[in-house]
Every structure is written in C-alpha cells, then in structure tokens.
Amino acid sequence: MKKIFYLVVASIIFSCAQKEFVEKDVLYKGIELYKKGEYEEAKDYLKKSIYKAEGLTADELMKAKFYLADSYYKEELYVDAIVEFEELITLFPTAPFMPEALYKLADSYLKISPGIDRDMSYPEKALEKAEELIENYPDSPYAEKAKKIITKVNIMKANHLIEIADLYEKLGKYYSASRYYQLVFDLYENYIDKQKLEYKIAFNLLKTAYQYEDEIKEYTEKVKKLEEKIKKEKNIEKKNVLINRKKILEGHLGLLKDRIEKSKKRGIKILEYIMDNYKNSEYKDKARELLKNFSEVKNH
C-alpha cells in the first residue's frame, strides 16, 4: 500500500515538474524568437507563457510581459503596445527595465496621436509618461530620449492653440485671436517662432475694433432707444427699470471701448519693440508697414 502511495506522489510530482518545464520552455522559446526579430511568432509563445503562469516566477512573468509589449512596439502596433506596457508598469513598478518601458509607452502614445486639430489627450499621456521617466530615472539613457518626446508634445500643443488662434483671426474675432496667440507665447515660448507670434499678437490687437464694430453699433442704438423711452415714461418704477438697463448697456459699451483702446496701445508697443529689437528680421519691415497702415487708417 505504501509503495502504491509513493508511486502516486512521485507521479504527481513528476507531472507538475513536467508541466512547469513545458511552461518555462514556452517562455524561453518566445524570448529566443523575440531576440531573432521574429515578433509575430514570439508573441504567440509569450502569450501562452503568461496565460499559463503557474510555473513561472514573478521575474519570469515580468520578462514575458516586457517582451510581449516590446514585440508589439517593434511591430508598430502601438495601441497593443500601450495596453501591455501600462499593465507591465502597474504590475511591476520597480522592474529593472522600467525606464525603457516608460519611454516606449510615451513614444507609443505620441505615435497614435491625431493631428494638431484634434484631441490632445494622447499627447498629454505621452508628456505625462516622459516626465515620469525623467523625474524617477534622470540618469537613464532613456531620459534624454524622453526630453525629445516632451519637445515634440509641446510643439504639438503650441500648434494646436495656434490653429485655434488662426481660426479666430479668419472669422474676424481679432481680440480672441490675440488672446490665444498670447497664450501660446506665454506657455510655449521655447517651442515657437517668437518673432512671428509677437507680430501676430500685435496685428490682431490693432484690429480688435473690427471685432466689436457691429456690437458697438447695436448697443449704441439700444441705448438711444432706451433714452427715448425714459423721456416718455411717466411711471417712476418703470422709468427706473429702463434707467438701470441703460446703465448696464453703457457699462458694456464702456468695457468694449476700453478693450479696444488698450489693445491698440499694446499692439503699437509690440510693433515698436519688434522694430527696435529685430534688426535683420522680416518682421521688422512687416511691423513698420502695419504701423504705417494703421496710422493712415486712423487719421483717415
């Protein structure tokens, strides 16, 4: 009876050992194919080893996850790479190849980013992962690569805002355009053509009056009509309501006129700065021409 018992135990142990050996064999076969550059076949073996992970150590499972993620990355299947790298980083945050994983995750997000006229969520994710890499692994060789991703993302974000500003300018919303150009200048000074942006800010500031021309006429007419109604109104309470409404409209008119005046002064100041400081720039001549045209229109 004891002999039979020992035979059963030995059989179970042998069976388990054989199962473990098969799983590890699948893993190392996958790694071997990965190193040969046969990523499509490597993925099949690596997936099998991950999904039958009973026989794998944590270190082996970590390697399987990394090589699988990197196989997707090398095949330029960036969405799949993102899924795998995100899971790898969550499961093994202290893995020795973490800097490489963070870099390739950031790069994958950047690669699937849409054009600058679309949503910026993927570039933001790329920026987040690149900054995490630099913060936690500043001495890694991947930190320098991450800086390039940050530069690319910031250029994308700047151009995204410039497109919005360009659209406002085309629609005749000059003050709104100037605000967006200014935002780009303030946030992404190191990633843009500064001279061009300064000129665009000044150009739109000087044309601010055109944006509000119709609105000022409309509200001026409303004020005149209210004045006539106030003169005719005999009821004190109703007259006070009309007077208060007139004050609100006049306040809005005052705000628009003040915005126009301040925009004009600031636009002229920027153009003068360009003319004084950019001696060999095309924008020096453009600034002089714009200032001249503005003065002629104003005097006329």
Side-chain angles (χ1 to χ4, degrees), residues 22-248:
V22 170
E23 288 170 353
K24 290 190 177 184
D25 186 55
V26 169
L27 169 62
Y28 291 111
K29 177 65 176 176
I31 294 174
E32 181 184 341
L33 289 166
Y34 164 87
K35 290 180 177 178
K36 288 180 180 179
E38 298 175 20
Y39 303 116
E40 189 61 36
E41 195 174 354
K43 287 188 303 185
D44 291 334
Y45 281 90
L46 293 167
K47 285 177 187 177
K48 287 176 184 176
S49 68
I50 291 167
Y51 298 138
K52 299 177 181 179
E54 295 90 349
L56 296 181
T57 65
D59 185 64
E60 288 168 332
L61 179 59
M62 179 176 64
K63 287 179 181 177
K65 292 290 291 180
F66 174 78
Y67 288 123
L68 176 61
D70 203 36
S71 293
Y72 281 121
Y73 178 81
K74 290 182 182 297
E75 286 187 308
E76 300 182 1
L77 299 172
Y78 297 114
V79 174
D80 293 306
I82 287 169
V83 172
E84 295 298 332
F85 277 125
E86 285 281 16
E87 190 172 316
L88 172 70
I89 289 168
T90 300
L91 292 174
F92 305 101
T94 59
F97 39 69
M98 189 54 58
E100 183 177 358
L102 281 169
Y103 167 72
K104 289 180 175 178
L105 177 57
D107 191 48
S108 295
Y109 274 120
L110 188 61
K111 290 291 200 308
I112 66 168
S113 297
I116 57 172
D117 59 331
R118 304 288 293 279
D119 180 59
M120 288 284 107
S121 56
Y122 286 141
E124 287 287 359
K125 290 292 289 184
L127 183 66
E128 175 191 324
K129 299 303 176 183
E131 288 176 340
E132 182 180 343
L133 166 55
I134 292 170
E135 181 180 350
N136 294 325
Y137 307 97
D139 298 326
S140 165
Y142 287 99
E144 285 302 313
K145 293 184 176 183
K147 290 177 183 177
K148 292 180 181 178
I149 287 179
I150 290 173
T151 296
K152 288 178 181 178
V153 171
N154 281 324
I155 290 172
M156 288 179 69
K157 291 172 73 176
N159 287 331
H160 176 68
L161 291 175
I162 287 171
E163 280 223 339
I164 296 172
D166 289 344
L167 178 60
Y168 275 123
E169 185 180 305
K170 288 176 184 176
L171 293 172
K173 305 293 185 181
Y174 300 110
Y175 182 75
S176 303
S178 74
R179 299 287 289 175
Y180 268 95
Y181 286 128
Q182 186 65 56
L183 183 63
V184 176
F185 190 88
D186 292 341
L187 294 178
Y188 304 106
E189 183 180 354
N190 298 323
Y191 305 98
I192 57 171
D193 183 341
K194 288 174 61 178
Q195 294 179 21
K196 180 179 179 180
L197 258 290
E198 285 174 322
Y199 175 79
K200 294 289 276 183
I201 292 167
F203 174 86
N204 282 278
L205 285 171
L206 288 180
K207 299 194 77 171
T208 294
Y210 294 106
Q211 176 173 340
Y212 298 114
E213 193 172 33
D214 291 338
E215 192 174 349
I216 287 174
K217 286 180 181 178
E218 179 188 347
Y219 278 87
T220 301
E221 281 298 315
K222 286 182 178 181
V223 168
K224 286 181 180 178
K225 288 179 180 179
L226 281 171
E227 286 174 344
E228 291 173 5
K229 286 183 179 181
I230 290 168
K231 288 178 182 178
K232 295 176 182 179
E233 185 57 61
K234 303 300 181 183
N235 184 290
I236 298 299
E237 288 185 8
K238 289 182 179 180
K239 180 174 281 195
N240 286 335
V241 169
L242 293 172
I243 290 170
N244 287 333
R245 188 176 298 169
K246 177 175 171 280
K247 285 180 180 178
I248 292 171

Side-chain angles (χ1 to χ4, degrees), residues 11-25:
S11 175
I12 292 171
I13 292 172
F14 177 75
S15 175
C16 290
Q18 188 178 37
K19 183 178 180 182
E20 181 181 337
F21 172 76
V22 170
E23 288 170 353
K24 290 190 177 184
D25 186 55

